[in-house]
Amino acid sequence: MNAQEIIRSIEAEQLKSDIPDIYIGDTVRVGVKIKEGDKFRVQPYEGVVIARRHSGINETITVRRVFQGVGVERVFLLHSPRIDGIKVIRRGKVRRAKLYYLRERVGKATRIKQRFDRPL
């Protein structure tokens, strides 16, 4: 076995199998594990998926939400042990792969139509 095959086999063990189908425009709730002292708690982060990058163990999603009038974006590594779980709240109907244009929009202009042909 060469080095690439060894790396691939180690990465395959780390991949999570409980990740739902996530598409651009979906509203998701990501449970993030936060360490406080010697305890862990799960903090939900809910927002719209505006980008997806990479594949395999390096796959990431960018989730955007507006908090107290300020747009906040977080990039989550899907197969990270820090991610407790991901739940799709609603499906979005969009026509492009990256929704960076939402950064310039404010208020009701940021709404995304709901799509009903894909199950949650």
Side-chain angles (χ1 to χ4, degrees):
M1 278 185 15
N2 62 11
Q4 286 181 336
E5 291 174 10
I6 294 169
I7 291 171
R8 242 183 251 123
S9 67
I10 293 170
E11 285 180 353
E13 296 169 13
Q14 305 293 324
L15 290 175
K16 288 185 180 178
S17 60
D18 61 341
I19 294 176
D21 288 337
I22 299 170
Y23 300 96
I24 306 301
D26 291 355
T27 302
V28 295
R29 184 177 292 136
V30 182
V32 186
K33 290 180 186 171
I34 306 279
K35 186 175 184 183
E36 290 181 345
D38 56 345
K39 293 181 190 171
F40 279 97
R41 68 178 178 88
V42 177
Q43 179 178 351
Y45 186 89
E46 188 172 329
V48 177
V49 178
I50 64 166
R52 234 183 129 152
R53 296 186 68 196
H54 310 299
S55 65
I57 198 152
N58 296 319
E59 189 170 4
T60 62
I61 58 170
T62 304
V63 180
R64 178 180 175 81
R65 70 185 282 201
V66 176
F67 182 72
Q68 295 182 351
V70 179
V72 180
E73 292 179 8
R74 272 183 83 172
V75 179
F76 295 104
L77 196 60
L78 287 182
H79 299 283
S80 168
R82 283 247 170 108
I83 303 295
D84 185 58
I86 299 174
K87 186 172 188 326
V88 177
I89 306 300
R90 64 189 292 247
R91 297 278 184 207
K93 188 175 185 181
V94 293
R95 295 175 65 173
R96 50 187 68 209
K98 302 282 192 274
L99 303 183
Y100 296 139
Y101 68 88
L102 290 179
R103 293 171 177 166
E104 278 80 51
R105 305 257 171 116
V106 177
K108 288 187 176 181
T110 61
R111 289 180 301 184
I112 295 173
K113 282 186 178 177
Q114 191 166 356
R115 118 181 251 164
F116 297 101
D117 58 342
R118 291 185 181 145
L120 287 177

